[in-house]
Amino acid sequence: MVKDKILVLDFGGQYDQLIVRRVRENGVYAQLHNCDVDFDSLNFDGLKGIILTGGPQSVFDEDAPKMDERFFKLNVPILGICYGMQYINHEFGGTTETLEKGEYGKTPLYVNVKSKLFKNVSQESTIWMNHRDGVTKMPKGFKKQARTMNTPIAAFENVEKNIYAVQFHPEVVHSEFGNEIIKNFLIDICKCNQTRKMGNIAEEIISDLKEKYKDSKVVCALSGGVDSSVAATLVSRAIGDNLYCIFVDHGLLRKNEASEVMKAYKQIGLNVKKVDASKKFLELLKNVSDPEEKRKIIGNEFIRVFEKEAKEINADYLVQGTIYPDIIESGKGKASVIKSHHNVGGLPEKIEFKGLIEPLKDLFKDEVRELGLSLNIPKEQIQRQPFPGPGLAIRVIGDITEEKLEIVRETDAILREEIKNYELDTSVWQYFTVYTPLKTVGVKGDMRTYDNVIAIRAVTSEDAMTVEAAKLPYQLLEKLSSRMINEVKGVGRVVYDITSKPPGTIEWE
């Protein structure tokens, strides 16, 4: 039986896979391809519709991404999102211009005309914008559906051609009626059947791993986080004793991190070896300030450690807990490089393995957590704070010293303790402290001080693709500031970061 499917064409946006996920959450199968995919190579059986993603470029750029014009002639509905809308407008003869004001983040949307796409959507709602260019004149036959204060044409349609487009991002959770819009496109416009279920995803992954690697020895890079833990458990279920897990202490861990991690892995039942490589990592990072260089040094040395351990057991493959946000932020495919993750963009060009095993590379963080629970991994491990592979190296802005690391460790420990005391540890997505390269004047004991500024970062999110600053109680912020300044030597001022993502990222580096 041929399944209904939606084709998602990627123009380089940061939310491309998130669009695929939203489609799948609505029970419809979706495939993601680069916008310049070879048209003749695709199987269009069961195709019900096409979605064009956003992207970082302008339709005016010489190298602006384009797609085969034959996609417009497949006689299936098309939905353009952000750049996708501008591309449709440009291709059909409309006018797209750089607007006087850009729009980023939450924005009020006003629906002018009720239609199939905006069924069950309030006339006024909140949407998520991320653009500077916009449609100022529509092609012939297209009708305006919605606007914002700065974007006169925020959505349009051509029912006869079965083309719909929105300037905003309905796929992100901050678009109030985003899922309704996507569902309207899938069900009311594309007439898709909601038949896809996600319950068997673990069985599918384990079966695939067993088929490919059942006779291979494999090393798994464990960081202590949920991603590598779930990846290791999946591979363990597939190949059993042929999996050898390595936990590297690179000297950039949080307070008591190493002992807590090893204890957790014993509970899961994984065979783990701890390697203390902290001295080597810190030597390599000495006097390095550039965040991309830090990430690449760490990624390279991680691989060298795993290669050494693999040689001792003749292992052929390396397992990593890479998830999709890691890949797109590292600039794979057409996505713009945001930052190189140590397990993606930070990898050296040559590695002494036959290949990498990344069973979670198509999933988002909350999906990984759900998958981990289905594998009966303890809830405490699944709900652990996300912690980047480069560790505190990217939470110390500038060059790294033991003194700076100690300040971050101690302030971070205070933050985690107080967040837990306020019973916010399960509702706040991620929280940590950052050592900034700033010093400010202060007074302690009637004496002038000139100490460091520490930033607190706490965010809420569902998928790590878009986040908002957590609205921590003011009393908690006061207590955090007081404790950090009084208890941690070298701290003279504490600030709170309220930047959303986009335009910021979760980590500062």
Side-chain angles (χ1 to χ4, degrees), residues 11 41 92 162 362 372 386 499:
F11 285 83
S41 70
F92 283 87
N162 231 351
D362 294 323
T499 312

Side-chain angles (χ1 to χ4, degrees), residues 130-360:
N130 190 26
H131 74 108
R132 183 78 191 198
D133 291 351
V135 173
T136 55
K137 182 181 177 182
M138 295 178 292
K140 185 178 179 180
F142 285 73
K143 294 182 179 180
K144 173 180 172 180
Q145 291 178 290
R147 67 177 177 85
T148 70
M149 293 298 292
N150 294 322
T151 303
I153 304 172
F156 63 43
E157 67 176 11
N158 186 320
V159 176
E160 184 179 338
K161 293 184 181 295
N162 231 351
I163 294 177
Y164 305 80
V166 295
Q167 181 59 61
F168 55 92
H169 290 274
E171 69 274 21
V172 304
V173 295
H174 303 302
S175 287
E176 190 176 357
F177 291 92
N179 191 60
E180 282 81 355
I181 292 171
I182 292 174
K183 186 176 181 181
N184 290 339
F185 178 71
L186 298 174
I187 310 306
D188 293 342
I189 295 174
C190 297
K191 307 297 182 184
C192 292
N193 293 308
Q194 296 172 281
T195 57
R196 190 173 191 274
K197 306 297 180 185
M198 296 294 289
N200 60 352
I201 188 170
E203 291 181 8
E204 291 176 3
I205 293 175
I206 292 170
S207 176
D208 182 61
L209 291 170
K210 187 177 296 184
E211 181 180 344
K212 291 179 180 177
Y213 306 107
K214 61 182 179 181
D215 296 322
S216 301
K217 287 187 176 181
V218 174
V219 167
C220 180
L222 284 178
S223 68
V226 59
D227 303 330
S228 61
S229 300
V230 173
T233 303
L234 286 167
V235 177
S236 178
R237 301 276 175 91
I239 66 173
D241 293 339
N242 280 338
L243 174 67
Y244 300 83
C245 299
I246 307 295
F247 171 65
V248 178
D249 182 349
H250 52 12
L252 303 164
L253 298 173
R254 292 173 292 193
K255 189 174 183 178
N256 301 324
E257 185 93 13
S259 59
E260 291 174 2
V261 165
M262 292 302 292
K263 181 179 178 181
Y265 283 138
K266 286 183 179 179
Q267 290 180 320
I268 297 175
L270 294 174
N271 178 31
V272 186
K273 177 182 178 181
K274 176 186 171 184
V275 177
D276 187 349
S278 55
K279 185 176 180 180
K280 179 66 172 178
F281 274 90
L282 294 178
E283 283 178 358
L284 292 170
L285 290 167
K286 189 175 181 179
N287 298 323
V288 176
S289 297
D290 182 73
E292 280 294 286
E293 189 177 352
K294 288 180 188 177
R295 288 175 177 274
K296 292 183 184 300
I297 287 172
I298 292 167
N300 183 81
E301 187 58 24
F302 263 128
I303 290 296
R304 302 288 88 97
V305 173
F306 295 132
E307 286 174 342
K308 180 176 179 296
E309 295 298 322
K311 284 180 181 178
E312 296 182 6
I313 58 172
N314 297 315
D316 296 323
Y317 296 93
L318 174 66
V319 179
Q320 294 195 133
T322 309
I323 62 175
Y324 199 73
D326 298 339
I327 293 174
I328 58 179
E329 288 189 342
S330 294
K332 297 299 181 182
K334 290 186 174 295
S336 175
V337 176
I338 306 300
K339 56 190 178 185
S340 295
H341 287 260
H342 77 284
N343 53 354
V344 188
L347 288 177
E349 291 185 10
K350 293 183 179 181
I351 59 175
E352 296 180 16
F353 290 97
K354 286 184 179 179
L356 298 176
I357 301 174
E358 299 171 308
L360 308 175

Side-chain angles (χ1 to χ4, degrees), residues 57-66 83 334:
Q57 292 180 267
S58 169
V59 291
F60 310 117
D61 294 344
E62 286 187 17
D63 59 347
K66 299 178 180 179
Y83 179 93
K334 290 186 174 295

Side-chain angles (χ1 to χ4, degrees), residues 69-102:
E69 64 180 15
R70 287 179 288 176
F71 283 110
F72 286 116
K73 301 175 182 178
L74 288 174
N75 198 32
V76 296
I78 294 176
L79 172 63
I81 296 175
C82 197
Y83 179 93
M85 176 178 182
Q86 297 165 16
Y87 182 78
I88 290 170
N89 188 62
H90 189 71
E91 289 296 299
F92 283 87
T95 302
T96 303
E97 299 179 279
T98 299
L99 302 178
E100 185 177 340
K101 295 181 179 180

